[in-house]
Amino acid sequence: MVPPVPTQTSTPGPSRGRVAVLAGAGLVAVVAAVGLLWRGGDEAPSASAVTSAVKAARAAGLQGGGGGGGKASPGVEEAEAAERRFSDQTCFPELARFNDGVTLETFRDWAAPLLASKDPLVRDYLKSKLAELIGDDAGRAGQVVDWAREAQGAEFKVLLSGLRESDAVQRPQVAARLLEAGLDKGLPLDRRAGMLSALDSQKHLTPEAMDRMAEFARDPASAEAGWAATRTLGRVMTRESEALGDASPYLDRLITIATDSPDEQIRHLAQTAPLHNSPVLDKKTTDRFARILQSEGNEDGRDAAAQVLAMSTDKEQTLKLFADSFNREQSVCVRWALFRFSARVAGREALPVMANMATVDPRFQPLYGTFEALYAQGNVDFIRVWNELPDQNPFGCMDRHQ
């Protein structure tokens, strides 16, 4: 626990104004470091980088300065050593003191008033610092999982974000504890969603974990937690495929969710997940997505199925499927997907099918003329043809997704 702050004394020391002036140079360093942390991504600094910056701020504010500068008076040092509570009026010297002495055991108590400041930069710093404190220690990670089961609001988000970014989250026993918490019926759905989302940084999921998450996502009562489970399956699939791993086990579970979940939003998320890693579809997978194209009640789902099916290895079967589906389809947006992705399936060889589509629906006749002219110019790559189109959104379909 953090000792209480002693009552304010008349201990001599530099004035607020003087400290503010002296700290200027150091604060610039902190602003730069924490600003990068807020932007996130691969360029975001580690907690150790922010540590250096806040220590620089502390040195500039309490030790630097112009005339009369140098080390702070002994009275100031003693008062500072005794004061270990942190104000919700966040300032960078507060972060420097926090950074100097916080441990995993004191993290929750010391972080609480800093979280109360509602400063997003401070929250991002706390996430990064917690990840550093956890490190690769499975025991520490398990402690944070236990805290998260009862935490609320911003603290819950910081705990899970720090855990997600730690090295220890990749340990099987830590991932298993997160999964158990995410599937625990005794926890509220929003908390279960957070636990399952924290698994999306995994490099690999076991078949058992994939099965349990897919089964949960198909539960009518899973709601936002089922959506989080589906997203985690999709994100780990993308990461594993980028590392040249086997994406097919993930894809198999996602298609099951895309077909069977009673929740339209969860189904659509599963239907679009393969678009992020563009898997080549074998016959079995092609047949399963064909059923989605022909039976999905939501037109966005049928649109997504057409995009995924464009990656099928069976060009002839897919073109026939697109032609049959176009004839039955009532949505102009889904028809536009079937029309343009026919070109992705087979290139100029798809032109006869596309010509028939334009006969069925005269609105596509000008578009057919454009595709025909682009292929006549010698274009063979679908992306090149797509980029050459004078209007990629002729029916306003893409506006729905903005």
Side-chain angles (χ1 to χ4, degrees):
M1 295 294 293
V2 181
V5 179
T7 55
Q8 187 171 357
T9 68
S10 58
T11 303
S15 68
R16 277 184 160 309
R18 182 172 182 76
V19 171
V21 171
L22 297 178
L27 290 179
V28 170
V30 179
V31 169
V34 182
L36 279 174
L37 185 64
W38 169 241
R39 288 197 296 271
D42 295 337
E43 297 181 358
S46 63
S48 60
V50 182
T51 299
S52 300
V54 294
K55 286 184 177 178
R58 187 176 184 182
L62 299 179
Q63 298 177 9
K71 297 180 66 175
S73 69
V76 172
E77 291 179 352
E78 291 170 4
E80 183 182 335
E83 184 178 343
R84 299 307 301 171
R85 183 171 67 83
F86 298 90
S87 169
D88 61 2
Q89 302 299 314
T90 308
C91 56
F92 290 116
E94 292 282 78
L95 291 182
R97 293 191 304 107
F98 179 95
N99 205 61
D100 284 346
V102 71
T103 64
L104 185 70
E105 290 71 24
T106 60
F107 182 87
R108 292 187 77 184
D109 287 334
W110 290 19
L114 296 177
L115 284 171
S117 72
K118 299 183 180 180
D119 187 326
L121 301 182
V122 171
R123 291 183 183 182
D124 278 345
Y125 161 72
L126 291 173
K127 297 172 192 175
S128 183
K129 184 63 180 178
L130 179 59
E132 180 185 277
L133 291 172
I134 296 170
D136 194 27
D137 190 310
R140 293 185 173 191
Q143 176 65 73
V144 175
V145 174
D146 290 342
W147 287 344
R149 294 177 71 95
E150 63 179 27
Q152 302 289 333
E155 184 190 30
F156 176 74
K157 295 178 182 178
V158 166
L159 291 175
L160 282 182
S161 295
L163 179 62
R164 180 185 181 277
E165 295 172 10
S166 71
D167 293 332
V169 79
Q170 299 296 334
R171 290 187 171 270
Q173 61 267 47
V174 178
R177 290 186 71 167
L178 277 171
L179 180 60
E180 291 302 325
L183 300 180
D184 186 349
K185 295 181 179 180
L187 292 178
L189 281 173
D190 60 343
R191 190 156 305 175
R192 297 169 71 181
M195 299 288 188
L196 293 169
S197 293
L199 285 166
D200 70 5
S201 62
Q202 294 294 296
K203 298 175 182 177
H204 174 76
L205 291 172
T206 66
E208 180 188 6
M210 286 188 276
D211 284 338
R212 295 181 69 188
M213 293 171 77
E215 181 179 0
F216 175 61
R218 293 154 58 200
D219 185 336
S222 65
E224 60 186 297
W227 191 92
T230 303
R231 184 179 64 177
T232 291
L233 283 170
R235 287 183 170 179
V236 180
M237 175 181 70
T238 299
R239 183 175 297 108
E240 187 152 344
S241 66
E242 288 173 348
L244 303 180
D246 184 6
S248 58
Y250 300 90
L251 186 58
D252 179 66
R253 275 77 171 187
L254 285 165
I255 298 175
T256 300
I257 298 170
T259 306
D260 297 344
S261 173
D263 187 302
E264 188 174 280
Q265 292 185 342
I266 293 177
R267 284 201 315 275
H268 186 249
L269 181 64
Q271 290 157 359
T272 57
L275 298 175
H276 298 286
N277 66 317
S278 302
V280 177
L281 307 188
D282 58 19
K283 186 180 186 310
K284 178 182 176 181
T285 308
T286 298
D287 289 342
R288 296 182 74 187
F289 266 102
R291 287 195 290 273
I292 295 174
L293 178 64
Q294 295 171 327
S295 63
E296 171 60 50
N298 186 296
E299 66 178 81
D300 286 341
R302 300 195 300 277
D303 186 307
Q307 295 186 56
V308 176
L309 283 163
M311 296 176 277
S312 173
T313 54
D314 193 332
K315 297 181 180 180
E316 183 178 351
Q317 177 189 352
T318 304
L319 282 179
K320 183 179 184 304
L321 173 66
F322 280 11
D324 293 342
S325 299
F326 190 95
N327 293 337
R328 295 192 303 270
E329 183 59 58
Q330 298 300 310
S331 167
V332 68
C333 290
V334 179
R335 281 187 164 185
W336 172 225
L338 293 166
F339 182 87
R340 70 183 188 272
F341 287 118
S342 293
R344 183 173 184 178
V345 170
R348 65 181 300 121
E349 296 176 17
L351 287 176
V353 172
M354 297 167 73
N356 288 334
M357 291 177 176
T359 300
V360 171
D361 190 339
R363 291 173 295 183
F364 287 82
Q365 289 180 1
L367 293 165
Y368 172 76
T370 300
F371 274 89
E372 185 181 41
L374 289 171
Y375 281 118
Q377 293 170 10
N379 292 300
V380 295
D381 183 71
F382 173 77
I383 298 301
R384 179 66 178 271
V385 171
W386 173 253
N387 289 334
E388 292 290 330
L389 291 180
D391 184 1
Q392 296 177 339
N393 191 22
F395 305 109
C397 303
M398 299 179 184
D399 298 336
R400 299 175 305 167
H401 307 295
Q402 295 178 354

